[in-house]
Amino acid sequence: MRERGRPLFTGSLTADLLLGDVHSLKGKRAVVRPIVAELRRRYAVAAAEVGDQDLHRRVQVGVATVAGDAGQVADVLDACERLLADRPEVTLLSTHRQLFSSTD
């Protein structure tokens, strides 16, 4: 349980990805779905495809996490970004991060 008056931190990461040899939306889903599932399972984050749903070779994946320490939020988002960068079937083009405090 969180101590009264202690801030809670929420972090989000949006990653723009280029997919490899994908020629249909069905093929895209076959690549994206396991990546999102692995992010959720490995890091206990909320993750979803959040943009470029109608494009075959591009996807935006969003990740969100909450913790009582800003450093922990940053560590989780760093790990998620590394996972995306290390996947051979996608190219990480860019990321955007946001950090919010419950005191903001």
Side-chain angles (χ1 to χ4, degrees):
M1 189 146 178
R2 190 167 63 93
E3 292 178 31
R4 185 177 208 112
R6 191 160 178 214
L8 193 62
F9 296 91
T10 304
S12 68
L13 171 75
T14 304
D16 187 16
L17 305 172
L18 177 65
L19 306 180
D21 191 29
V22 174
H23 302 287
S24 68
L25 291 176
K26 185 176 179 180
K28 176 183 180 176
R29 302 287 179 266
V31 171
V32 174
R33 193 172 291 135
I35 293 171
V36 168
E38 185 175 0
L39 286 165
R40 291 174 180 164
R41 183 185 72 252
R42 189 179 286 191
Y43 302 111
V45 295
E49 180 181 351
V50 296
D52 293 332
Q53 280 115 344
D54 57 341
L55 301 176
H56 296 131
R57 295 199 57 224
R58 292 287 291 271
V59 65
Q60 287 184 357
V61 173
V63 176
T65 189
V66 177
D69 178 74
Q72 184 178 357
V73 169
D75 290 346
V76 169
L77 295 180
D78 286 345
C80 291
E81 187 172 336
R82 278 192 304 275
L83 182 143
L84 293 170
D86 291 343
R87 294 296 293 233
E89 68 273 33
V90 299
T91 301
L92 180 60
L93 299 175
S94 66
T95 60
H96 176 75
R97 289 185 186 209
Q98 291 184 298
L99 178 67
F100 302 98
S101 169
S102 60
T103 60
D104 288 348

